[in-house]
Amino acid sequence: MTTVRLDSTAPASIDTDALIIGIHSGPDGPRPASGAEGLDEALGGKLAATLGALGVKGKPGEIAKFPTFGALPAPVVVAVGLGDAPAGDLDPETLRRAAGAAVRALAGTARAAVALPAGTGGETGAVAVGALLGAYDFTRYRTNGDRPAPVAELTVLSGAEGGAEALARAEVLAASVTLVRDLVNTPPSDLWPARFAEIAEETGTEAGLSVEVLDEKALREGGYGGIVAVGQGSARPPRLVRLAYSHPEADKTLAFVGKGITFDSGGLSLKPAAAMDWMKSDMGGAGAVFGALLAIARLGLKVNAVGYLCLAENMPSGTAQRPSDVFTSYSGKTVEVLDTDAEGRLVLIDGIGRALEDAPDVIVDVATLTGAQIVALGWRTAGVMSNDDALRDEVVRAAADQGEAAWGMPLPEELRKGLDSAVADIANLQPERWGSMLAAGIFLKEFVPDGTRWAHIDMAGPGFNKGEAHGYTPKGGTGAITRTLVGLAERYAR
Ligand code: BES
Ligand code: MN
Ligand code: ZN
């Protein structure tokens, strides 16, 4: 794991293998951002000419490397574009992405110093989070060692007030996101419900969480009909994990419920092969909840938080649930399963039902729930639905504060009748495909009593990056929404 430290040494004198600086774009051409002071002088006044010769524009995401030929201790400078922001008005997400892109471009380099704008604690934290997340790589299954290793030692150049606290928070956030990415990337042969529960128990206990694991017997006896129904087709039975953190001075309790399908084959309503090969990522919601609880505990936030990981493997077999089966959920409501591929909502309602017993001020569930989320909002923007408009907006703001894209979506009442079942209280699927992200939200809402503030985050797209790496986001597992949940908890902390 990459380490990070703070240093207020000038960029031109820091002993490192590569120096990262920011470049703004502008009408008068590219200009070095703050943080790079003294560099031009050390380079004999040649910085502008060098950038010009390299065709650097300063556009966000742009990367240019050039050698320093002994003019300073760092043999290489990496210039990363920051776009055209007036001084002191830089969006923290621009900084996170720039730091991430620059560190990614330095794979194979042992040490890097980041001389991006970090005049405040907030900026220092953003630079550190972006740099640490940009240094992510998943190497567990590689044997040939021919991939350049990520930067191992990062130094953030900053003398900002509050910089040390911001750096410590950044390390906690990055550790959680890194763990979630690893879990998402781990193949389902090595991550099944009981294994995930074991990891949660070990790591959670270490972080100071109290951890309770319900196995398949406890789930059956406890009336968790949804988790049991989804898990019954797999040779590897389901689990419900409860992670709890409390602070003596807290006056608010948050409950997070995560969809943790360690592999979603669709069940008997089998997915086509092309839609299945990345369904190891269908536990990303539970990953985010787990990562967030760890971070909340490690940061010692003055809030109470409980997290539920609804873990099951959705498989077809002789013991699998059948389309048209009916089960009784934890709430007592019966559900007709018309499509076994709409399984996430079935495990979530039991998690939500159990979370209600904690009498939380707010329940937020997080799930890679519908392909319709990707149709509606694309790969990178999560959909946020709620039975409370103010809470929905609060979740969207909490996401934006962390640079995570999320957008409020409605829960139109008229979609409820599409979920009428001919035999049970409700069906798990509406007959038509239009608006399925919202219909899934409507389904969940039926299991939330009036007066309970609840929000639902559909992160089907953001949870897994099928495209190329960008900014601080790698290919594969992203750890999306982990930081949003921590940010939300910070809002509720005293
Ligand atoms: N896990 C999938 C949703 C998903 C799709 C996540 C693509 C990430 C990327 C979910 O369990 C599912 O299969 N949803 C179905 C629901 C449908 C049967 C109502 C879908 O979206 O097609
Ligand atoms: Mn499914
Ligand atoms: Zn699923």
Side-chain angles (χ1 to χ4, degrees):
M1 173 92 187
T2 302
T3 62
V4 66
R5 64 183 190 94
L6 273 184
D7 199 319
S8 52
T9 305
S13 23
I14 186 88
D15 174 28
T16 184
D17 301 327
L19 181 70
I20 297 168
I21 63 165
I23 304 295
H24 286 296
S25 61
D28 310 322
R31 59 192 155 85
S34 67
E37 287 80 10
L39 186 66
D40 183 42
E41 200 182 327
L43 294 170
K46 291 189 194 130
L47 181 55
T50 303
L51 295 174
L54 290 168
V56 170
K57 298 279 184 282
K59 296 228 170 68
E62 189 183 2
I63 299 274
K65 292 189 202 180
F66 57 87
T68 62
F69 298 116
L72 45 143
V76 174
V77 172
V78 181
V80 56
L82 291 171
D84 188 11
D89 195 22
L90 201 52
D91 173 22
E93 180 62 2
T94 303
L95 279 175
R96 285 185 205 102
R97 290 185 188 182
V103 169
R104 243 181 341 96
L106 281 171
T109 307
R111 301 174 302 160
V114 194
L116 287 168
T120 65
E123 288 177 345
T124 306
V127 167
V129 165
L132 283 168
L133 293 182
Y136 178 82
D137 197 15
F138 185 66
T139 54
R140 180 169 163 192
Y141 297 90
R142 296 193 186 275
T143 61
N144 57 11
D146 63 359
R147 257 165 93 92
V151 175
E153 289 175 42
L154 287 164
T155 303
V156 172
L157 300 185
S158 165
E161 205 180 310
E165 293 74 16
L167 189 86
R169 176 178 177 276
E171 288 185 88
V172 168
L173 289 180
S176 276
V177 173
T178 297
L179 173 60
V180 179
R181 288 175 176 178
D182 282 348
L183 289 169
V184 172
N185 288 331
T186 299
S189 53
D190 283 336
L191 190 76
W192 60 96
R195 178 71 194 121
F196 195 153
E198 231 169 66
I199 295 170
E201 185 152 32
E202 256 172 51
T203 315
T205 307
E206 259 168 45
L209 298 170
S210 54
V211 186
E212 181 193 346
V213 178
L214 302 187
D215 65 9
E216 69 271 31
K217 182 159 173 282
L219 289 168
R220 238 182 293 108
E221 285 166 2
Y224 296 86
I227 299 177
V228 169
V230 173
Q232 75 190 34
S234 171
R236 299 185 293 185
R239 294 288 184 268
L240 177 65
V241 178
R242 178 179 187 272
L243 305 162
Y245 166 77
S246 60
H247 191 286
E249 289 165 51
D251 54 13
K252 290 278 192 293
T253 299
L254 294 173
F256 299 142
V257 180
K259 171 178 173 180
I261 302 298
T262 55
F263 185 70
D264 182 11
S265 69
L268 286 174
S269 311
L270 199 65
K271 285 182 183 296
M276 207 193 286
D277 61 8
W278 45 303
M279 280 302 125
K280 66 174 184 181
S281 63
D282 212 19
M283 34 55 69
V289 168
F290 177 37
L293 262 288
L294 290 176
I296 290 166
R298 288 168 179 163
L299 293 170
L301 299 186
K302 293 184 179 176
V303 68
N304 299 324
V306 280
Y308 288 93
L309 317 181
C310 307
L311 305 173
E313 186 179 50
N314 190 22
M315 295 292 275
S317 76
T319 60
Q321 62 173 338
R322 292 147 287 250
S324 76
D325 272 355
V326 173
F327 69 82
T328 303
S329 67
Y330 190 72
S331 70
K333 281 193 175 62
T334 58
V335 179
E336 183 185 16
V337 181
L338 293 177
D339 188 318
T340 63
D341 197 13
E343 85 296 341
R345 63 198 74 182
L346 307 182
V347 300
L348 286 173
I349 57 175
D350 283 352
I352 290 170
R354 174 63 195 275
L356 289 167
E357 293 170 10
D358 296 305
D361 295 280
V362 167
I363 299 184
V364 180
D365 76 71
V366 193
T368 48
L369 205 61
T370 67
Q373 178 275 314
I374 306 170
V375 175
L377 293 169
W379 290 108
R380 297 192 193 174
T381 305
V384 181
M385 289 141 272
S386 177
N387 59 358
D388 179 316
D389 289 354
L391 175 62
R392 181 197 59 213
D393 293 348
E394 205 174 340
V395 171
V396 169
R397 268 200 309 276
D401 285 349
Q402 308 297 322
E404 299 207 270
W407 202 250
M409 299 300 281
L411 290 174
E413 269 310 318
E414 72 274 12
L415 293 183
R416 172 58 188 85
K417 65 177 182 310
L419 295 170
D420 281 346
S421 160
V423 296
D425 295 337
I426 192 166
N428 78 329
L429 184 77
Q430 61 172 6
E432 62 170 33
R433 51 188 279 248
W434 315 116
S436 333
M437 166 172 54
L438 316 180
I442 292 276
F443 177 89
L444 296 173
K445 179 171 171 267
E446 285 291 309
F447 295 83
V448 180
D450 288 342
T452 300
R453 300 180 78 211
W454 155 82
H456 159 56
I457 306 179
D458 192 336
M459 48 163 280
F464 194 81
N465 178 18
K466 293 197 72 165
E468 288 308 310
H470 55 91
Y472 55 83
T473 305
K475 266 175 104 81
T478 60
I481 306 300
T482 308
R483 289 179 299 127
T484 294
L485 297 182
V486 179
L488 196 66
E490 286 174 331
R491 285 170 169 265
Y492 280 80
R494 291 191 51 207

